[in-house]
């Protein structure tokens, strides 16, 4: 049995943080890691402190079909730390960041985004020009037949 890669490991952690989400529509988790592989911060989508949560009041959906009651996981992760800490860091997210999160991630100097589930929109390309943008593809298990 081989051990998981760092990408696999941090995406697994992002999935665990997603379980803390208070949004009924979509549970999203995020982990931010520096260039040395050290975890800097984490976040999950949920309402502001002291505000009504989707779990209690239901989602507040805008005309684009998005829940606007919750802060996004990426924003909550960034708000936990000083933004200069994130220069050159990698974001691991369970879902591709939206254009608002992408703009914020770019502003604090994130260089790489790795996500599992695609959440396409026509605006990300305006904000992720200086970032590596990668959808994670699960590695296929290779059977070892014992031959060299």
């Amino acid at each position: 049995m081989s051990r998981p890669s760092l990408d696999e490991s941090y995406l697994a952690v992002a999935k665990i943080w997603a379980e803390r989400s208070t949004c009924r529509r979509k549970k999203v988790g995020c982990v931010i890691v520096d260039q040395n592989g050290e975890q800097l911060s984490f976040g999950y989508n949920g309402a502001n402190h002291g505000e009504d949560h989707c779990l209690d009041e239901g989602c507040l959906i805008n005309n684009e079909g998005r829940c606007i009651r919750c802060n996004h996981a990426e924003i909550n992760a960034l708000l936990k730390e000083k933004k200069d800490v994130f220069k050159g860091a990698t974001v691991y997210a369970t879902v591709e960041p939206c254009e608002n999160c992408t703009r914020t991630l770019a502003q604090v100097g994130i260089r790489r985004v790795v996500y599992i589930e695609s959440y396409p929109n026509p605006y990300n390309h305006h904000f992720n020009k200086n970032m590596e943008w990668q959808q994670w593809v699960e590695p296929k298990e290779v059977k070892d037949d014992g031959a060299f």
Side-chain angles (χ1 to χ4, degrees), residues 40-53:
L40 298 174
S41 191
F42 65 89
Y44 49 88
N45 57 328
N48 284 341
H49 294 288
E51 298 291 327
D52 294 330
H53 291 277

Side-chain angles (χ1 to χ4, degrees), residues 40-90:
L40 298 174
S41 191
F42 65 89
Y44 49 88
N45 57 328
N48 284 341
H49 294 288
E51 298 291 327
D52 294 330
H53 291 277
C54 298
L55 293 176
D56 303 323
E57 299 294 324
C59 292
L60 183 60
I61 305 296
N62 68 6
N63 59 356
E64 296 173 331
R66 294 184 181 169
C67 177
I68 58 174
R69 187 180 305 281
C70 291
N71 291 319
H72 291 185
E74 301 89 346
I75 299 301
N76 282 332
L78 291 171
L79 292 173
K80 290 183 176 297
E81 296 293 332
K82 297 176 186 169
K83 78 175 198 172
D84 59 331
V85 171
F86 299 112
K87 194 162 199 81
T90 298

Side-chain angles (χ1 to χ4, degrees), residues 77-140:
L78 291 171
L79 292 173
K80 290 183 176 297
E81 296 293 332
K82 297 176 186 169
K83 78 175 198 172
D84 59 331
V85 171
F86 299 112
K87 194 162 199 81
T90 298
V91 167
Y92 293 94
T94 55
V95 177
E96 181 178 8
C98 72
E99 69 278 0
N100 293 321
C101 291
T102 300
R103 183 175 53 238
T104 304
L105 295 171
Q107 181 67 16
V108 299
I110 295 294
R111 81 167 169 80
R112 182 173 176 238
V113 174
V114 181
Y115 58 92
I116 298 170
E117 182 183 329
S118 181
Y119 189 78
N121 69 70
Y123 307 108
N124 269 348
H125 71 278
H126 294 285
F127 309 113
N128 66 4
K129 294 174 186 170
N130 296 317
M131 289 187 235
E132 180 184 338
W133 204 256
Q134 175 186 352
Q135 183 169 12
W136 179 253
V137 178
E138 291 286 334
K140 294 181 181 176

